[in-house]
Amino acid sequence: MSSSATQVNVSNNVTAPSGALMAPIVQMAIRDISVLFRTPWIIISRSLAFVIQLFVFAALISKLVNVTGLDFFQYYAVGSVVGTIASISFIIGYDIFEEAEEGVLDYLLTLPVSRRQFIIGRALGGAVRAMIYVIPMFVIVAVLENFSNPLSIAGALLDLFLLAFGITGLSITVAVSVRNANRFDVVLALIELAIARASTALYPIAFMPSYVAALAPFSPVSFAADSTRAALIGASLDLVSLAGLVAFVVIFLGLGAAFYFRRVEGGVYA
Amino acid sequence: MVVERDVRILFSDSFLVGIMFANFAIDLFVTAATFGRLIPGGDYFLYIAPGSNFITASVAAFQSGRDVWREKHIKDLTSYLLSLPAPRPVFAFSRIMGGVVRSLIATFPGTLVIAYLYGILLGPEVLAAFMIVGLFSLGIVGLSITAASFVSSIEMFVTVRSAIQLYLSFLSTLFYPVAVFPPALTFLVSSNPMTWAVESFRSLPQSHGLVGPVSVLVAPSLAFAALGTLCYLWYAKL
């Protein structure tokens, strides 16, 4: 606890140079990025899922979908990138849960990093590594669908980053709220499934049953999918979806931080 | 006793069974219902509905492999298992059967829902529906224990599980008929256990006997179960 008190003081030192405050955040983020890339199996399985979804499922199901004005392959291709980044962003929760189970969290808490820097660094690391991971897939879709406007691409990448940042916060919230390992696995998988399936990532809202269509507009994956499509296909900004994404990030980063502190510090937030 | 132990492990957290049903409900009432509206002609919703239940069955069946892996690498239960007063092949096959019973329990409500949608809930075909789910689960439990026997880390097991589930879901007739596949893939699709299972289920309302639809799964499922049993014996050094 004495160590955390020291960290509280450091984090409250508003006169510290911004570079000194940023360095630990960047260190935490770099650690999380390297952790993901040290576990190639996760990357292999998610990449395989993306490739099969795009080149088998989307290609074949597009032959069956016959809706005027809807290029379903293009729709699904953009949505599958959004779905994949959501999926990979959830992995940070598994990392944090495992660290707590294996006692690595205790070691991490002894590092000379304030709690606030610690949580921001972890969330940032989770989001950045998801971006690094998904960019090759984004490139595949951009080449296939001939998306070449730099502003549209930048807008789409911003949407993806915001989604990744928010989901990282959501994943951390779940990781520190659920104690049982089996239950944690299944709860996280269920949340992942629910927010991806009940969203506009994979199919247009007009074709959803009414009970799904009522919820889908509020899924963060819908915000990201709509905004990304607006940027790439319509070369425009979907401000409502963008605002929804920002709200999602703020809410779940805040919740993630609050739950994390409550777990490690018994409720003392600093 | 061994089967009962495995079932008790499943129900040690009954929340898990509920979550599996929730997964099934999302697959059926969100994804399948939406694709049913998106794809014109015929009743696509009914076409893909059985697949939702078989996906749940495969998830439940793969839990057996995960448990076996955890027993050796995390819980260090090998010595305890070696001390049990049961012939080892019987014990190993009982683990497989335990996985099948767990899968049948996890998919019980789903099988009833799909049987209702197919109009066979009150007929003898419902028994065939459970037999198809059970036989499919038998093969997948065998596969999952085989996978658990050869992987050294849980990440690798999860990757193998994902690869098998991708094959079962997307390279089968779960979502689309075999005719839409390129000729190069038709062999993979036709030899997929998911194809056999969903096609058997779809044929139930029109079948004139229960043996025909079920029989196609018997030999491959028993073969996978035998493989899983042998691998488990070798893996646990039983």
Side-chain angles (χ1 to χ4, degrees):
Chain A
M1 285 305 290
S2 59
S3 131
S4 37
T6 309
Q7 295 311 314
V8 170
N9 293 337
V10 171
S11 68
N12 288 339
N13 184 359
V14 290
T15 57
S18 60
L21 288 174
M22 283 303 291
I25 293 176
V26 173
Q27 280 296 321
M28 291 306 304
I30 288 172
R31 177 185 171 275
D32 274 325
I33 292 164
S34 49
V35 164
L36 179 70
F37 289 95
R38 272 205 306 269
T39 48
W41 293 111
I42 292 172
I43 298 175
I44 291 167
S45 68
R46 297 293 209 279
S47 303
L48 194 64
F50 174 80
V51 167
I52 290 184
Q53 271 194 57
L54 188 63
F55 292 106
V56 178
F57 180 74
L60 295 179
I61 208 88
S62 301
K63 293 181 186 175
L64 303 177
V65 176
N66 186 16
V67 177
T68 312
L70 175 67
D71 177 349
F72 189 72
F73 182 82
Q74 183 187 62
Y75 188 95
Y76 194 92
V78 175
S80 61
V81 174
V82 176
T84 303
I85 200 163
S87 170
I88 207 82
S89 304
F90 270 106
I91 292 173
I92 191 81
Y94 293 99
D95 291 349
I96 286 174
F97 193 89
E98 230 176 71
E99 285 167 5
E101 267 199 328
E102 292 170 2
V104 181
L105 185 60
D106 297 334
Y107 155 73
L108 291 173
L109 293 175
T110 66
L111 295 174
V113 177
S114 78
R115 300 294 186 255
R116 194 167 291 170
Q117 289 167 327
F118 184 79
I119 185 86
I120 294 172
R122 302 228 59 179
L124 189 65
V128 171
R129 72 186 194 175
M131 287 300 289
I132 294 171
Y133 169 85
V134 91
I135 278 175
M137 299 171 192
F138 183 86
V139 170
I140 291 172
V141 171
V143 170
L144 279 177
E145 295 301 322
N146 202 20
F147 298 135
S148 54
N149 182 337
L151 277 178
S152 298
I153 290 173
L157 290 175
L158 174 69
D159 293 326
L160 294 178
F161 180 75
L162 286 173
L163 178 68
F165 211 24
I167 288 194
T168 300
L170 171 63
S171 183
I172 291 172
T173 305
V174 178
V176 295
S177 313
V178 181
R179 303 292 174 105
N180 175 293
N182 270 342
R183 190 176 282 201
F184 168 72
D185 279 358
V186 184
V187 168
L188 209 59
L190 182 66
I191 293 175
E192 190 181 330
L193 190 70
I195 67 167
R197 298 289 182 87
S199 79
T200 55
L202 305 180
Y203 20 67
I205 202 162
F207 296 93
M208 294 176 189
S210 55
Y211 51 87
V212 187
L215 299 172
F218 306 104
S219 163
V221 178
S222 290
F223 293 142
D226 292 346
S227 188
T228 305
R229 284 196 191 98
L232 290 174
I233 302 169
S236 60
L237 267 181
D238 183 343
L239 288 175
V240 176
S241 297
L242 207 54
L245 262 183
V246 172
F248 172 66
V249 170
V250 170
I251 290 168
F252 278 99
L253 268 188
L255 271 182
F259 275 79
Y260 206 173
F261 283 111
R262 192 171 159 192
R263 173 88 178 260
V264 300
E265 302 286 8
V268 180
Y269 180 80
Chain B
M1 287 295 285
V2 177
V3 172
E4 186 187 339
R5 173 180 172 268
D6 276 329
V7 173
R8 281 182 189 277
I9 289 173
L10 176 72
F11 278 99
S12 62
D13 195 350
S14 53
F15 180 76
L16 280 178
V17 183
I19 292 280
M20 278 189 213
F21 183 71
N23 268 313
F24 160 77
I26 291 173
D27 266 343
L28 183 67
F29 296 113
V30 177
T31 309
T34 306
F35 275 114
R37 290 158 162 250
L38 199 53
I39 293 172
D43 199 337
Y44 188 71
F45 172 68
L46 277 185
Y47 183 80
I48 57 174
S52 307
N53 199 38
F54 286 114
I55 288 174
T56 308
S58 69
V59 170
F62 261 100
Q63 283 293 108
S64 297
R66 191 175 190 271
D67 287 351
V68 163
W69 189 89
R70 281 175 65 88
E71 279 169 5
K72 182 166 187 181
H73 292 277
I74 309 285
K75 296 180 178 173
D76 196 18
L77 283 174
T78 309
S79 310
Y80 160 71
L81 294 172
L82 282 169
S83 71
L84 290 176
R88 288 171 184 183
V90 173
F91 177 77
F93 190 68
S94 302
R95 296 305 307 273
I96 305 263
M97 291 314 293
V100 175
V101 173
R102 283 162 38 139
S103 180
L104 277 170
I105 292 170
T107 54
F108 183 78
T111 307
L112 291 181
V113 170
I114 307 295
Y116 170 75
L117 291 172
Y118 269 64
I120 57 170
L121 183 61
L122 301 176
E125 296 90 349
V126 74
L127 295 175
F130 279 107
M131 284 177 74
I132 292 169
V133 175
L135 282 168
F136 174 76
S137 303
L138 178 68
I140 304 302
V141 170
L143 265 180
S144 80
I145 291 182
T146 303
S149 306
F150 290 102
V151 298
S152 55
S153 70
I154 193 69
E155 287 84 7
M156 203 189 289
F157 177 73
V158 170
T159 305
V160 172
R161 181 183 68 184
S162 302
I164 293 174
Q165 283 178 337
L166 283 170
Y167 169 62
L168 292 174
S169 302
F170 296 120
L171 288 168
S172 69
T173 58
L174 193 159
F175 288 109
Y176 16 62
V178 73
V180 304
F181 282 92
L185 292 177
T186 50
F187 173 74
L188 278 178
V189 176
S190 304
S191 54
N192 189 323
M194 181 67 89
T195 297
W196 305 331
V198 290
E199 294 302 333
S200 298
F201 204 108
R202 284 170 190 151
S203 72
L204 283 177
Q206 299 87 36
S207 68
H208 297 296
L210 303 183
V211 179
V214 175
S215 60
V216 68
L217 281 161
V218 173
S221 293
L222 285 175
F224 283 131
L227 181 67
T229 306
L230 290 174
C231 289
Y232 182 65
L233 285 167
W234 168 78
Y235 168 75
K237 301 290 185 288
L238 285 171

